[in-house]
Amino acid sequence: MAVDQDKYILKVDGLGVTYGDFVAVKDVGFNVLQGEIFGLLGPNGAGKTSTLSAIEGLLKFKQGTIIVDGQDVQQKPLYAKASMGVQLQSTSFQPELNVVQILQLFSGIYGVPKSKDEIKDILKEIKLEDAGQKKFGQLSGGQQQRVSLVIATIHNPKLVLLDEPTTGLDPQSRRQLWERIEAIKAKGHAVLLTTHSMEEAEAVCDRIAIIDHGKVIAIDTPEALVDKHRDDPEVVAVSRRGKITLEDVFIGLTGTAVRD
Amino acid sequence: METTVIPKSSAVFKTLVRADMATLFSNRRSVVISLLVPLIILVSWKPLVKVMGGPFALSTAIGIGLMSIGLMGYTLSVARDRDKGIFQRLRVAPVPTWAIMSSRLFIQLVMIMILTLLVFIVGYQYDKITLSTEGYLLTFAVAVIGGAVYLSLGQLIVGLIKTAETINAVTRLTYFLFIMVGMFGEMGTLGPQVKEGVHWSPYGSVKLMLAASMEPAKWNHDTTITVWVCLGYIIVFAGIGIKNFKWNSK
């Protein structure tokens, strides 16, 4: 499905998040359109997780608004949560439950209960037909990500949030996951993902926002960002092989200092 | 794409209960231990039943079982799930937070009922302890209040302490202290001041309330005050525990 320029599924406007005196996010704003994969990039501690947590409804914020599918996440949290599917950075399910029980739990709480046969079909689709009775912890990293992703989309949400979905995966699993993310987009879902991988951002994202020190410092398509900043002295200075990449632009804009 | 539907709270609650029940029965060993400790006490105290009376033995067994359920069952599972991010995963779904906790409390309520029933059965089979119908019914009701005292104490612990390891240590220490100081203290072995302290402690109050409920005819003003003390403990412990509770341990 093509990106619908008129219809945004997520609108973040003037978002501010503070922890005591510490300002984690300041005046952040961006939209994610229907059928778009939007990447949120930033160094450690830049404010990505706080922004994502605010969208997910995990933290309350006093400044700004977040609209998901036309509803304010703070005023109508259950509606907003029902409109989105989430894959957290470290996905945890009750270790005592097997994969079938986990799928039954989440299909039930998203209001789309599945029968055992339907769950069997879902597992077949993600090539895990023999893993139904296994505990989540017994699955490989790639298998766990597939289960997490299928849970995030089990209720056919309008917005899918993926927090560093390919961290720790081998290249084969990563490629497979990219294909699954693109398949989600093809079904018309909007996808917001965070990543540290510039390769991933270039490969799957339609647009990206670079966030640093709690502020959005650039938003555009990966190609446009490279074109726009290819002659910046900071970007040229960090370029390693003459050819300017998205990673060069990212480091040029956010600095070379290592963040903890 | 389909229209967004907010799932019904009752359906969500039912799903959570089913999952929590499956989790509970997957941990068969800890369930058996929670139930076995009070039964072992009941059986090993057979000689004391004639001296102290049936209600004393039954109330001690149920009281210790309630403590295991509240402190070991509820507290440790909440601490673990918070630490592993299981609550965060549930909270990003359209699940009201009350449903997450109510489902867990419902499971503990089922455990309290099973415990009380088992103690009655073993008490009758092994020690020939019988109560009146009112006694049995009242004890079931009072066991729920007693269970709530320990569940709220557990909530206080998970509300005030964030790390799972510290909670584990504090909970086991509290359990051990209640059993040792409570059991010896109430018999006067540790002196009159400790005996008085134990009497009004959560351990003593729950035990006294349970013992009195087994003989409704002997229910007096002192017992009613003990019920109020227990309700006070529940309100204060749960109030502080809920107010300070964080869903994420990080």
Side-chain angles (χ1 to χ4, degrees), chain A residues 34 56-58 69 78-79 81-84 86 88 90-97 101 104-106 108-111 151-152 155-158 187-189, chain B residues 1-9 11-12 15-16 18-20 22-24 26-27 80-81 84-96 104 250:
Chain A
Q34 187 176 333
E56 290 161 352
L58 289 178
D69 190 29
L78 289 186
Y79 182 93
K81 286 175 183 180
S83 306
M84 50 180 143
V86 178
L88 295 174
S90 54
T91 296
S92 278
F93 303 109
Q94 284 90 328
E96 295 85 359
L97 300 182
Q101 288 170 321
Q104 281 174 331
L105 167 65
F106 281 91
I109 61 178
Y110 278 105
I151 287 172
H155 57 302
N156 205 19
K158 294 183 177 166
K187 286 181 190 166
H189 305 265
Chain B
M1 218 172 311
E2 291 162 23
T3 329
T4 301
V5 177
I6 302 174
K8 282 186 182 161
S9 294
V12 169
T15 308
L16 286 171
R18 201 180 304 134
D20 286 339
T23 303
L24 178 77
S26 296
N27 287 321
R80 184 203 69 171
D81 289 357
K84 285 185 174 290
I86 291 165
F87 286 142
Q88 293 295 71
R89 185 62 194 83
L90 290 172
R91 285 181 67 224
V92 296
V95 179
R104 286 170 183 250
K250 293 181 182 77

Side-chain angles (χ1 to χ4, degrees), chain A residues 130-146:
Chain A
D130 299 326
Q133 297 308 313
K134 283 187 182 174
K135 304 281 193 296
F136 188 73
Q138 294 173 316
L139 304 177
S140 70
Q143 290 173 329
Q144 288 186 352
Q145 290 294 51
R146 266 139 61 197

Side-chain angles (χ1 to χ4, degrees), chain B residues 56-238:
Chain B
F56 177 84
L58 293 184
S59 62
T60 304
I62 295 174
I64 287 171
L66 293 178
M67 207 189 304
S68 301
I69 291 168
L71 292 179
M72 301 302 197
Y74 176 76
T75 313
L76 296 185
S77 75
V78 168
R80 184 203 69 171
D81 289 357
R82 176 170 65 178
D83 207 49
K84 285 185 174 290
I86 291 165
F87 286 142
Q88 293 295 71
R89 185 62 194 83
L90 290 172
R91 285 181 67 224
V92 296
V95 179
T97 46
W98 65 260
I100 299 172
M101 280 308 179
S102 303
S103 153
R104 286 170 183 250
L105 292 173
F106 179 78
I107 300 298
Q108 303 307 328
L109 186 70
V110 171
M111 280 290 288
I112 289 169
M113 292 295 142
I114 294 172
L115 163 80
T116 311
L117 190 65
L118 276 178
V119 168
F120 284 153
I121 292 170
V122 174
Y124 173 73
Q125 291 288 339
Y126 198 75
D127 296 328
K128 301 289 174 238
I129 303 170
T130 53
L131 306 177
S132 63
T133 312
E134 296 83 30
Y136 281 120
L137 293 176
L138 194 58
T139 306
F140 269 109
V142 164
V144 174
I145 301 175
V149 170
Y150 290 116
L151 289 170
S152 60
L153 180 60
Q155 184 63 43
L156 179 75
I157 293 172
V158 291
L160 295 180
I161 305 168
K162 268 177 127 184
T163 51
E165 290 84 3
T166 315
I167 289 171
N168 201 331
V170 169
T171 304
R172 284 173 200 281
L173 188 67
T174 310
Y175 182 72
F176 181 74
L177 274 177
F178 271 170
I179 290 185
M180 297 312 286
V181 180
M183 271 169 39
F184 290 111
E186 71 171 337
M187 290 175 191
T189 322
L190 304 174
Q193 281 174 325
V194 175
K195 188 177 180 179
E196 186 66 11
V198 167
H199 178 84
W200 295 110
S201 71
Y203 174 88
S205 308
V206 169
K207 197 176 163 313
L208 186 91
M209 193 172 63
L210 282 166
S213 67
M214 291 172 195
E215 295 174 294
K218 290 185 183 170
W219 190 283
N220 57 26
H221 179 66
D222 215 24
T223 321
T224 308
I225 289 177
T226 309
V227 175
W228 283 110
V229 169
C230 285
L231 293 174
Y233 277 132
I234 295 167
I235 293 167
V236 172
F237 290 165

Side-chain angles (χ1 to χ4, degrees), chain A residues 114-186:
Chain A
K114 305 281 180 207
S115 67
K116 287 207 166 155
D117 284 341
E118 286 173 311
I119 287 176
K120 213 181 266 181
D121 291 342
I122 291 171
L123 289 175
K124 202 172 172 186
E125 202 184 307
I126 57 169
K127 298 188 173 64
L128 283 176
E129 53 266 57
D130 299 326
Q133 297 308 313
K134 283 187 182 174
K135 304 281 193 296
F136 188 73
Q138 294 173 316
L139 304 177
S140 70
Q143 290 173 329
Q144 288 186 352
Q145 290 294 51
R146 266 139 61 197
V147 172
S148 301
L149 197 61
V150 91
I151 287 172
T153 54
I154 203 158
H155 57 302
N156 205 19
K158 294 183 177 166
L159 173 67
V160 181
L161 305 177
L162 308 173
D163 196 0
E164 298 185 18
T166 56
T167 301
L169 295 187
D170 61 31
Q172 284 85 355
S173 303
R174 200 165 55 144
R175 284 287 167 102
Q176 201 178 63
L177 205 70
W178 288 354
E179 284 169 20
R180 291 186 186 279
I181 294 170
E182 279 163 349
I184 292 171
K185 171 192 163 159

